[in-house]
Amino acid sequence: MSTIAPARRRRDPEARRREILIAATELIVENGAATLTHRAIASRAGVPLGSTTQYFTSIDDLRETALQQLAAEIDQELDKIHDVISDFATAPERAVASLSEFLADPRAVHAEIALMTAGTTDARMRELALRWSDRFTEMLTEQIGRTRAVAISVYLDGATIHAGLHEKPLQAAEMTAAIRALAMMPVADA
């Protein structure tokens, strides 16, 4: 009677690193960046506890890498909006439709809120947290000027928090009216 040993699973360090990173991003979206622990990440990823420190130098390194991953996902959403910015001031409906899709996605909303929170509590994360609003403001500035662009960006930060708290976005008509008013508001010449 011969016994055949089970085949050993081939190690794939990059796949394990990705599993850990995915687990960290999921936990950040669900609970916020400040709640990350090696134990929670390892449990979610289904890997040994020591793996989290094998692939990332510290919990801060893992948190920062996960937040960078979430920021990259949000950047992709902003790329979609970029194409509809050109007529933002006069016909914001197309942009609002894209923004509404983003705000209706609980994962995207919670990821953005996690980035905002991390940026307000950790100076090292501030630049990453500001990336979306700064880039959005720059894109809008070309169309409607800086003062109006900042006002709309701040409004959308509030709309994001609103969507997270209420678990649904503002109505598209409400957003369109507010954005149209902000895009057309009188501003003093500088």
Side-chain angles (χ1 to χ4, degrees), residues 2-109:
S2 72
T3 58
I4 300 174
R8 293 187 79 191
R9 199 169 100 174
R10 192 167 189 211
R11 289 191 172 193
D12 182 352
E14 191 53 39
R16 175 150 300 172
R17 184 179 190 284
R18 274 192 310 274
E19 291 168 356
I20 292 167
L21 187 56
I22 289 167
T25 59
E26 289 172 355
L27 288 167
I28 287 172
V29 168
E30 292 170 14
N31 306 313
T35 64
L36 279 185
T37 65
H38 288 289
R39 188 170 308 284
I41 295 165
S43 175
R44 175 63 65 94
V47 301
L49 181 58
S51 294
T52 60
T53 56
Q54 180 180 356
Y55 294 98
F56 297 90
T57 59
S58 66
I59 195 70
D60 288 336
D61 177 37
L62 183 46
R63 181 181 298 112
E64 289 175 25
T65 304
L67 286 167
Q68 288 171 354
Q69 175 65 36
L70 290 171
E73 292 172 17
I74 292 169
D75 282 345
Q76 291 173 350
E77 293 297 321
L78 189 56
D79 288 340
K80 293 177 189 175
I81 295 169
H82 187 270
D83 296 335
V84 296
I85 292 289
S86 61
D87 58 351
F88 199 86
T90 57
E93 295 81 9
R94 285 182 38 207
V96 168
S98 292
L99 292 166
S100 292
E101 282 181 35
F102 174 80
L103 294 172
D105 178 353
R107 184 183 188 287
V109 168

